[in-house]
Amino acid sequence: MKISSVKKGSIASKLKIKAGDTVLSIGGYPIEDILDYHFFDAGREFLLQILNGDNGEVRDIEVVKKNDKPFGLEFLDEGIEVKRCHNSCIFCFINQLPKDKPLRETLLVKDDDYRYSFLNGTYITLSNTSANEIERIKRIKLSPLYISVHTTNPVLRGRMLGHKKEVPILEQLKELYDCGIRFHTQIVYCPGVNEDIEKTARDLAPIALSLAVVPVGLTKDKNPDMKLVSSQNATDVLSLVERLQEEFIEEYGTNFIWASDEFYLLASKEFDEPDFYEDYPQIENGVGLFGQFNESYQATLEQKAKFITKRFGKEQKYIKLSTPKQILIVTGTSASGFITQKTNELMALCNQKANYFDIKVIPIENKFFGNSVTVAGLLVGEDILDGLQKYLSVNQIDKSNTIVLVPSVCFREDKDEFLDSKSLEWLQAELAIKVQKSEASGEGFVNVILEEGSRK
């Protein structure tokens, strides 16, 4: 790996290592990627082999440092080429993507890379992980990992992953566990297929950190053999999960297993309190998102209580509006009821003396993937535009006094790009209304509405 810079005053600089040099090996092993460097940099002693970028000389350097003091190297890249997935899962979302529509290129990448599981918390099956890679995981202590189990039945798991043979997992997980590697797990529940949730949960509870059960996501281009999760399926899964939680909290001191928020929406059941989700170990898997949102929402309201009283408590003292500020909130159809409840609470609190703002929640139907896809994170620009234009066609509003809020989960991370490659700027131009990305949290929700409601 080629060095891009060396921190001034660092141990590396004192050892005359410089930008343009190349690390050939570290700790006696050929360096594969940035993970090798981070592992050894966290220790006190290691052997480094450097190729001088000027004269081609190879140097062996014995490094001795304090654990908490970085060695001081930066590299041109992380050295990670994405490991592609060779499964053909019966529920694979990428295989269900429309073939005739433009899509963001990164959405088409099927990866099953243990390194990104460690770095980013993405789920892997381990079925594409070689024996050498398993040994590397154990050697450099890549923990925790995130493992898609689906079922501990090797025959059924093989069928679900699209293999013609058994694909065991429990033995692999026990081997990793015995070597100090910890992992979170998930079951993608497919009705009529992996109905053995209880057995899988009992197999995993002694060795895994947590287990999430999430409903299979199916588009209009789904595998015809796959069934959507029904309201009754969701009710049954929640009943099973609750029963197992009672057992696991008694035996292991943790709920261990959680059903994702979608099950609660499908079953029309109230969400559990935030404490129920412990430290939110499966939040990225949609487990506890609404609970965390509500917790953050309530805490922010308490923090902003004095501001709300001062700003909105006395009619027209601080702001004078001829008409209320119009705020249109985009969301998926599944969350629209919850978001509407929160907006109504906020409006009732702030509009006691005057109608400072008027909020409308706009649930967007997903035509791109099909109406069975109901989450905000899979909305595309074209569908958002269509849904907003339909609303505007039957509602007369002052566009200069209106703002559209689109949750950040609709966009590519750190960019203003939708899944269909349309941009926030494009949406704003098409609507001729200000469009703003909003943080998908209770705090962000409250703050952006109070801010917009305060504008003249």
Side-chain angles (χ1 to χ4, degrees):
M1 293 179 62
K2 183 164 283 190
I3 299 166
S4 60
S5 64
V6 179
K7 186 176 180 181
K8 187 176 180 180
S10 66
I11 300 170
S13 68
K14 292 175 183 177
L15 291 171
K16 307 301 183 184
I17 299 173
K18 61 185 186 308
D21 292 349
T22 300
V23 177
L24 300 177
S25 69
I26 188 167
Y29 296 90
I31 189 166
E32 293 189 33
D33 52 52
I34 195 67
L35 296 177
D36 285 320
Y37 174 73
H38 286 321
F39 173 72
F40 286 101
D41 192 33
R44 294 188 68 251
E45 300 180 17
F46 55 87
L47 181 66
L48 197 65
Q49 190 175 71
I50 296 288
L51 175 67
N52 188 296
D54 294 328
N55 57 27
E57 176 187 343
V58 175
R59 284 199 296 156
D60 290 328
I61 303 172
E62 291 186 9
V63 177
V64 179
K65 67 181 191 65
K66 294 180 180 179
N67 286 15
D68 59 349
K69 191 164 186 178
F71 187 57
L73 298 182
E74 295 289 338
F75 296 91
L76 291 177
D77 57 57
E78 294 185 336
I80 299 177
E81 183 177 346
V82 176
K83 185 179 178 65
R84 300 304 174 107
C85 178
H86 298 292
N87 298 324
S88 185
C89 297
I90 59 175
F91 54 84
C92 177
F93 193 81
I94 292 179
N95 289 347
Q96 301 177 58
L97 297 177
K99 308 295 188 293
D100 58 343
K101 294 182 179 180
L103 283 165
R104 199 166 64 208
E105 288 186 8
T106 52
L107 192 64
L108 303 174
V109 176
K110 287 177 64 174
D111 71 274
D112 198 17
D113 198 314
Y114 68 96
R115 296 164 299 184
Y116 284 117
S117 180
F118 171 73
L119 290 170
N120 302 331
T122 56
Y123 275 87
I124 58 171
T125 64
L126 289 181
S127 62
N128 294 294
T129 310
S130 68
N132 286 340
E133 289 168 333
I134 292 291
E135 289 305 311
R136 185 180 185 229
I137 289 171
K138 294 188 289 188
R139 176 171 60 82
I140 63 175
K141 305 299 181 187
L142 294 185
S143 179
L145 296 176
Y146 295 78
I147 314 297
S148 289
V149 175
H150 309 315
T151 174
T152 50
N153 180 324
V155 175
L156 177 57
R157 189 166 191 264
R159 182 164 74 85
M160 292 186 72
L161 298 186
H163 293 256
K164 295 181 179 179
K165 59 181 181 180
E166 296 183 4
V167 182
I169 185 65
L170 200 53
E171 294 78 7
Q172 277 183 305
L173 295 180
K174 287 178 178 177
E175 178 186 349
L176 291 173
Y177 178 81
D178 289 341
C179 292
I181 306 302
R182 299 296 176 254
F183 38 85
H184 298 277
T185 56
Q186 74 166 355
I187 293 171
V188 174
Y189 170 59
C190 304
V193 182
N194 54 339
E195 299 286 354
D196 58 342
I197 294 173
E198 182 169 356
K199 181 183 183 306
T200 298
R202 292 185 191 283
D203 287 341
L204 295 174
I207 56 175
L209 293 171
S210 68
L211 171 63
V213 185
V214 300
V216 62
L218 301 175
T219 77
K220 60 186 177 183
D221 298 308
K222 70 179 181 69
N223 178 339
D225 295 330
M226 301 303 296
K227 299 177 182 177
L228 287 167
V229 176
S230 68
S231 175
Q232 187 59 54
N233 291 147
T235 300
D236 293 342
V237 167
L238 287 174
S239 296
L240 171 61
V241 167
E242 288 169 2
R243 179 164 57 81
L244 289 172
Q245 285 169 336
E246 291 179 4
E247 175 185 326
F248 293 150
I249 197 77
E250 181 79 20
E251 187 168 356
Y252 302 107
T254 172
N255 284 321
F256 176 70
I257 182 174
W258 287 273
S260 75
D261 292 359
E262 289 176 79
F263 284 103
Y264 290 82
L265 294 170
L266 287 167
S268 299
K269 183 176 177 180
E270 291 290 322
F271 294 105
D272 288 294
E273 293 299 314
D275 289 349
F276 169 79
Y277 297 102
E278 299 173 10
D279 61 350
Y280 295 102
Q282 293 275 359
I283 191 72
E284 296 297 330
N285 222 345
V287 176
L289 279 172
F290 286 92
Q292 189 182 67
F293 183 101
N294 203 37
E295 183 179 30
S296 175
Y297 169 87
Q298 295 295 344
T300 307
L301 281 184
E302 291 177 12
Q303 293 170 3
K304 298 286 184 178
K306 290 183 180 180
F307 169 82
I308 292 171
T309 300
K310 181 178 179 182
R311 176 66 73 179
F312 303 104
K314 295 184 179 180
E315 185 174 354
Q316 304 300 326
K317 183 174 181 181
Y318 288 92
I319 53 176
K320 294 181 179 181
L321 299 174
S322 56
T323 57
K325 182 66 175 282
Q326 296 286 316
I327 302 174
L328 307 181
I329 299 180
V330 167
T331 189
T333 55
S334 60
S336 61
F338 177 85
I339 299 299
T340 298
Q341 177 189 347
K342 296 305 166 188
T343 58
N344 289 342
E345 289 175 9
L346 198 54
M347 280 198 295
L349 184 63
C350 297
N351 286 352
Q352 296 180 62
K353 296 293 184 180
N355 290 327
Y356 292 116
F357 47 82
D358 182 29
I359 312 172
K360 290 291 187 294
V361 176
I362 315 296
I364 304 297
E365 181 184 356
N366 199 319
K367 296 178 180 178
F368 192 88
F369 293 116
N371 58 16
S372 60
V373 178
T374 61
V375 296
L378 290 175
L379 291 174
V380 300
E382 287 282 5
D383 284 343
I384 292 173
L385 175 64
D386 180 64
L388 289 169
Q389 286 179 331
K390 285 180 178 177
Y391 174 83
L392 295 172
S393 69
V394 295
N395 294 275
Q396 297 297 318
I397 66 169
D398 177 4
K399 289 189 175 184
S400 65
N401 190 43
T402 300
I403 184 170
V404 174
L405 301 180
V406 182
S408 57
V409 293
C410 295
F411 298 92
R412 185 176 180 178
E413 188 174 2
D414 299 325
K415 293 191 177 182
D416 293 340
E417 183 184 13
F418 293 103
L419 291 173
D420 59 355
S421 298
K422 299 295 186 182
S423 68
L424 184 149
E425 291 76 14
W426 165 85
L427 181 62
Q428 183 166 269
E430 291 290 323
L431 293 170
I433 296 175
K434 181 182 178 182
V435 179
Q436 181 176 321
K437 186 191 300 185
S438 63
E439 184 186 344
S441 69
E443 179 182 11
F445 176 82
V446 172
N447 285 338
V448 73
I449 289 176
L450 293 182
E451 179 184 345
E452 292 302 325
S454 300
R455 293 185 188 277
K456 292 185 179 181

